[in-house]
Amino acid sequence: DVSEAAALTTVDPKAKAEIRNILNHLSTQTLESLLSPSDAKLIYEELFFSSSDDDDEQSSIFNDETYQQYIKYWDKLGRKLREETRTPADLLGTDITNRILSFIRGDGDGSSSSSGSYDAQTVKTFLESDAINSLFTQLLYDAIFEFTTSIDIIGNAISKLPLLGPVRNQVLKESKRNMDRTLGPLLRQFLSGYTRVAIRQAVDFVVSKENASKFASANAKLVGYLLKERSVSAWIPEDKVLAEWRQDVWDYLAGLERGSDNQKIINQSIDWVYDLVGDKCIDDAGVNVGSIIDSSPTLEKNAALFWKRCQDNAN
């Protein structure tokens, strides 16, 4: 047993030399030389779009077996995240967390205006949405209603009329009900138009450079709370929501096999990647594979052992 264990951890000099040569060779090869864009598209089309039109035929990738494995590991990940008591800041570390918050605030480099400012069109589109307009209208309506109720304009007016107590109370009740029924729609219509004017003013306030530092500090405070005060488990929704997300993700991935639009999008994505890094290799990124191997004998040993096992299994 000792000799077998030693054999598994002993590096064959020949395998070590071969894996070093392979890695050095790969580091000088561009992406296009390793896999052409046309072949990348063809592989994707063969895997996802060349199956039979028969709906009963199982996909080679998204089938019943892979679905069960997908559920298994999704649920396992969910359980691990629910047990995680650390905050995102604990996972990121103090230095990175402080750098993030400092960048949001724009500390030290005079960039607070750019960090706290927002794109005017984006803010305008958000605030002028029907949902926000309805929210502001309802808030103003409730405020006006509460104000009129608290000062009791109708009640003060009716109390001066020569009416008996029970009659006066009934008149007061009906008057308030009629006012809400008649003036309510008119008030809501007015506020709906007014809030659009108020929103345009709010847009100018939000995007102004003078207020950028205030929003930068507010943003940093919010992000700081999310990173430092809430544990990872607190971010995880309830099981029902997770199950819905799990199914939605699977349906989306499985749906990639169908439809010309999906095929077009993937082909465009492949073109984009190759336009960006197709003519680049690892060496172009300033990474010296030889130096990395020299710096980590353990990495070299495991790479050589892996290569040796591949050779042994191929024979």
Side-chain angles (χ1 to χ4, degrees):
D1 292 340
V2 176
S3 60
E4 291 181 0
L8 291 175
T9 57
T10 301
V11 180
D12 183 357
K14 182 180 178 181
K16 182 188 295 187
E18 289 174 343
I19 194 64
R20 182 180 285 266
N21 290 334
I22 291 173
L23 294 176
N24 284 329
H25 172 73
L26 291 176
S27 68
T28 62
Q29 302 302 301
T30 65
L31 177 59
E32 290 177 344
S33 67
L34 294 172
L35 180 65
S36 68
S38 59
D39 281 349
K41 294 178 182 178
L42 187 58
I43 291 172
Y44 182 82
E45 291 173 4
E46 290 171 346
L47 289 175
F48 290 91
F49 296 103
S50 296
S51 59
S52 171
D53 293 334
D54 186 1
D55 293 336
D56 294 331
E57 182 178 346
Q58 287 274 309
S59 165
S60 59
I61 298 177
F62 302 107
N63 50 54
D64 292 341
E65 184 177 352
T66 55
Y67 180 64
Q68 294 304 320
Q69 293 299 313
Y70 166 77
I71 292 179
K72 173 184 175 181
Y73 287 104
W74 177 287
D75 292 345
K76 184 176 181 180
L77 175 62
R79 289 192 297 270
K80 293 292 292 183
L81 291 176
R82 287 198 185 282
E83 297 170 358
E84 183 57 71
T85 59
R86 292 174 295 177
T87 65
D90 294 331
L91 301 176
L92 293 172
T94 302
D95 183 58
I96 294 179
T97 301
N98 290 338
R99 286 176 181 270
I100 292 173
L101 298 180
S102 178
F103 172 77
I104 294 174
R105 285 191 300 266
D107 293 343
D109 57 1
S111 63
S112 60
S113 61
S114 62
S115 298
S117 62
Y118 303 95
D119 175 69
Q121 186 58 43
T122 301
V123 175
K124 183 173 182 292
T125 301
F126 173 73
L127 291 181
E128 289 186 347
S129 64
D130 291 340
I132 297 299
N133 186 66
S134 298
L135 173 63
F136 283 4
T137 299
Q138 186 62 45
L139 290 175
L140 290 174
Y141 180 86
D142 291 343
I144 293 174
F145 183 81
E146 287 297 326
F147 173 74
T148 56
T149 302
S150 62
I151 63 174
D152 197 12
I153 298 175
I154 299 176
N156 290 332
I158 293 178
S159 64
K160 298 178 181 180
L161 297 177
L163 300 173
L164 297 177
V167 176
R168 183 168 57 247
N169 292 337
Q170 183 65 25
V171 171
L172 176 62
K173 181 179 179 181
E174 290 298 323
S175 297
K176 289 183 177 180
R177 182 182 301 170
N178 287 330
M179 185 188 73
D180 187 52
R181 184 166 52 246
T182 56
L183 293 182
L186 295 176
L187 181 59
R188 288 181 184 278
Q189 183 178 1
F190 166 76
L191 291 177
S192 179
Y194 175 77
T195 52
R196 298 188 184 279
V197 177
I199 284 173
R200 285 195 289 271
Q201 296 175 346
V203 171
D204 295 336
F205 179 84
V206 171
V207 302
S208 66
K209 294 183 178 180
E210 292 77 9
N211 296 313
S213 61
K214 297 178 182 179
F215 281 103
S217 298
N219 292 340
K221 185 176 181 180
L222 172 61
V223 175
Y225 165 76
L226 295 176
L227 292 179
K228 296 180 178 180
E229 303 299 329
R230 298 191 65 184
S231 65
V232 172
S233 59
W235 289 81
I236 308 303
E238 59 185 12
D239 291 339
K240 180 180 179 181
V241 176
L242 278 180
E244 292 175 352
W245 289 0
R246 182 186 66 198
Q247 189 60 44
D248 288 342
V249 171
W250 176 264
D251 290 342
Y252 170 77
L253 294 175
L256 292 177
E257 294 187 328
R258 305 180 184 88
S260 58
D261 287 343
N262 293 331
Q263 188 173 6
K264 180 181 179 181
I265 292 172
I266 295 299
N267 286 338
Q268 290 174 341
S269 300
I270 292 175
D271 288 335
W272 183 86
V273 170
Y274 275 87
D275 287 341
L276 183 66
V277 296
D279 60 344
K280 301 295 188 296
C281 62
I282 296 177
D283 281 355
D284 292 333
V287 178
N288 189 309
V289 174
S291 297
I292 293 176
I293 296 175
D294 292 338
S295 300
S296 178
T298 304
L299 173 62
E300 180 184 31
K301 179 189 70 175
N302 283 276
L305 290 172
F306 172 75
W307 174 243
K308 186 65 169 60
R309 285 195 296 270
C310 290
Q311 291 178 314
D312 294 340
N313 291 329
N315 296 327

